[in-house]
Amino acid sequence: MSAHIELLSYLLGAIVFSVGFLSARLHSSADAARRQVSDVALA
Amino acid sequence: MREAILRGDPLSTSEISGLVSAATNPNDAIARLTRLLNGALLVAAVVLAADALRLIEQGVDHPPNAVLLIVLLVGAAISVGIVGEADARHLDAATSNELSRTTLGRIARLDEALDVGDLPGARQAIQDLHRSFPAWGLLAELDAYVTLREGDVDGALNRVSSHLDRSDDVYVSALVGSAAALDAGKFDVALRVIDQVERKRPLTAEELRIRRAVCLLAGHLDEMVDGAAAKANDGQELALMAQQSPLGSNISGALFEGIVALEGDATGIDLRAESIRGLSAPLEALRLWNHSSEVPRCDGTPFALLLDLVASRGRAGRDPVAEALRLATTLVDGEALESIGFVLLVLGHPRPAIDVFERSIALRPKYPRVHWAHAVSCWRWGWDDKARESAGRALALDREDLVLAASAPIIGRTGSASTVDEGEFEHQSLRPTQRLQLALIGVDVKPAPSPMTSRERFAEALIDAARELHGHDRPASVA
């Protein structure tokens, strides 16, 4: 049983790390696209 | 970048296509993989928690707070997973909403709509862009292109014509206009559109190729018989095109090139001639005619009928004169009429050829070769005075032409005095049309090396037929 709880803790850690990584990646790429497009200011 | 635009400096194709792809939804494989991984981890946590709860239910030894711990852990995992996914989706929507309001975003939307065939979406994107760039010619041309893809050929032609009438900002008018005109079987309109574009800027290599393909299908003698040699300066033009692009000389030109850039895996609007419906078949016909022994099938075109008339020469059951005249009555293209006249003359029917040449002269009075051909037809028919008059007109229009000069003393003569020395042409590099002309006045020039392509074989068939006309009844003796 303690093995189950231990594994569940690791999984939670992995999920937190992975969601954090994904969020950082998506936000930075969206910012880059916005910056690149607004830098041209064609509109 | 901003400074470059403000200064009016040209942007490179890669700069623009990079900007356009920045404005599209990013295709981030790592982000997609991470989202999948999150889902898998979440499923594993739920399965593990369910298994642990099952074991507790079966009475397996467990710490007193195990159930609470499991519920808290799995609850936290689910919360983090759901919040992460919701954030990713929200960010996606917000970014594409924000980018779609920028010009580059609109260009990217247009690009995508045309790529997937969403024509109403493409039209909407064009209208949105038009509000920012009312003078950008490409938008009017793309509007015509969308109309063509909707199947409204006349509408597309009208849009191209009205754009050419009021603007000098021209990119794909020649492609879209000629594709629409060819779809409607109007070769003369296709050529007129290309000529209109040429008056505004030098044609690109692709546009020159399209013009040659149209000339071929329209049955123009130069293109059918001489091919690339028809216009001696084509090579120079192509070299010029390779050095400079007439389209990328300003910002909207650079935007155009960036949008249609299709190098490697880059996406863009596919506006190459081969990908436009209506142009791929004529271009393939041009390629086969000039570079292969396979005869292109272009049913219903003047080219196909002329080919058929020459191929079925002398065959029973055919009335070449009636067929040629039927075609001639439908045409308002002086060059195509000239070809019909030549074929009639070569097949031994000078009288109807005279009428056809006269119609051609009415359309193109300053073109010396038609006057010359009219003269030869009259001469063959026995109208020597008329023949001399026409020969004189041809010579007056072009005193430099070798064949016209050589013909003048022959045409109209009935005597046997020789005036042409075949040796004069021995070392000349003559085009097939010039060899055909000489054969028509009974001057034998050295035959071409064995013909390989369809065009060469057609040219030799015409020249042989012209030689046969003089086989036993040569009107002028030759030294």
Side-chain angles (χ1 to χ4, degrees), chain B residues 195-433:
Chain B
D195 287 346
Q196 257 182 300
V197 172
E198 193 179 24
R199 281 197 290 274
K200 293 176 188 291
R201 59 158 172 79
L203 296 180
T204 62
E206 187 171 55
E207 289 164 341
L208 289 168
R209 213 154 47 89
I210 293 169
R211 178 160 68 186
R212 286 189 54 201
V214 177
C215 287
L216 178 68
L217 296 197
H220 291 185
L221 193 69
D222 286 323
E223 195 54 56
M224 284 186 78
V225 174
D226 287 346
K231 288 198 171 66
N233 59 353
D234 258 9
Q236 292 166 1
E237 285 182 42
L238 289 172
L240 182 73
M241 292 302 117
Q243 287 166 11
Q244 64 178 46
S245 159
L247 301 175
S249 55
N250 55 27
I251 290 299
S252 52
L255 273 173
F256 162 73
E257 293 196 335
I259 292 167
V260 300
L262 282 164
E263 287 164 22
D265 293 333
T267 55
I269 303 172
D270 194 352
L271 283 174
R272 288 167 303 177
E274 280 83 358
S275 68
I276 296 180
R277 187 171 65 96
L279 289 183
S280 50
L283 287 172
E284 176 62 7
L286 181 71
R287 190 191 66 77
L288 288 177
W289 186 245
N290 285 294
H291 301 290
S292 148
S293 57
E294 188 183 335
V295 179
R297 286 185 59 84
C298 305
D299 296 342
T301 61
F303 163 76
L305 185 80
L306 290 171
L307 215 59
D308 191 34
L309 285 177
V310 174
S312 62
R313 172 163 63 107
R315 196 180 297 163
R318 292 294 297 257
D319 184 355
V321 177
E323 287 178 41
L325 290 181
R326 204 176 306 126
L327 174 66
T329 53
T330 64
L331 295 175
V332 282
D333 176 352
E335 286 182 71
L337 286 168
E338 184 204 19
S339 306
I340 296 172
F342 260 94
V343 167
L344 281 170
L345 185 56
V346 160
L347 296 180
H349 306 287
R351 181 65 192 90
I354 292 172
D355 293 340
V356 175
F357 284 131
E358 282 173 1
R359 279 197 57 208
S360 177
I361 289 169
L363 292 165
R364 299 172 78 211
K366 303 255 184 235
Y367 188 55
R369 194 174 63 197
V370 194
H371 289 282
W372 176 91
H374 182 258
V376 174
S377 307
C378 290
W379 171 53
R380 297 289 306 170
W381 189 244
W383 292 347
D384 290 338
D385 292 344
K386 221 172 165 181
R388 272 190 291 270
E389 275 173 35
S390 282
R393 268 196 299 271
L395 207 55
L397 285 168
D398 187 355
R399 294 201 172 275
E400 310 272 300
D401 190 288
L402 190 73
V403 179
L404 299 189
S407 315
I410 296 180
I411 294 173
R413 291 182 71 96
T414 47
S416 58
S418 158
T419 47
V420 175
D421 178 3
E422 282 172 358
E424 190 185 329
F425 301 102
E426 273 295 310
H427 304 293
Q428 301 281 352
S429 92
L430 296 170
R431 293 194 307 274
T433 44

